[in-house]
Amino acid sequence: DKDQYYSYRAYFQDTGGLASKALVKIAGVEVGWVDRIDLLADGKAEVILRISRSIKLAKNAYAMINQDGLIGTKNLEIDPGDSS
């Protein structure tokens, strides 16, 4: 149910094999998923992600693309930032 999730945007020079429906995690805990990935006119990738409404992100939050193991799937790891 998408109503229980906030939509966020993250921008990358290279998504490195990240795909739609990839997991979004904070501290290794699943909190959402990648909704879609679009290529922008300037050559950057815009990643639309959904994160549970119960998770609060600060303005200085950032996202990193990670891989589970050597040949595992790619996921998006979020650092929720510092609320101060």
Side-chain angles (χ1 to χ4, degrees):
D1 187 16
K2 289 186 177 182
D3 291 337
Q4 296 178 3
Y5 294 85
Y6 286 124
S7 180
Y8 292 93
R9 298 172 191 271
Y11 299 91
F12 294 93
Q13 293 285 25
D14 181 7
T15 58
L18 186 70
S20 294
K21 309 299 180 209
L23 296 179
V24 174
K25 297 180 179 183
I26 295 177
V29 177
E30 182 183 339
V31 295
W33 73 92
V34 172
D35 200 27
R36 88 176 182 261
I37 302 171
D38 296 323
L39 182 63
L40 301 177
D42 63 0
K44 291 184 180 178
E46 178 183 57
V47 179
I48 311 297
L49 45 127
R50 300 279 184 164
I51 297 179
S52 173
R53 287 185 180 265
S54 65
I55 305 299
K56 304 298 181 209
L57 298 181
K59 287 188 178 197
N60 63 345
Y62 63 93
M64 302 167 287
I65 297 172
N66 285 339
Q67 183 171 339
D68 291 332
L70 290 175
I71 57 172
T73 59
K74 302 272 182 149
N75 61 65
L76 206 57
E77 182 74 28
I78 304 289
D79 182 321
D82 183 10
S83 61
S84 62

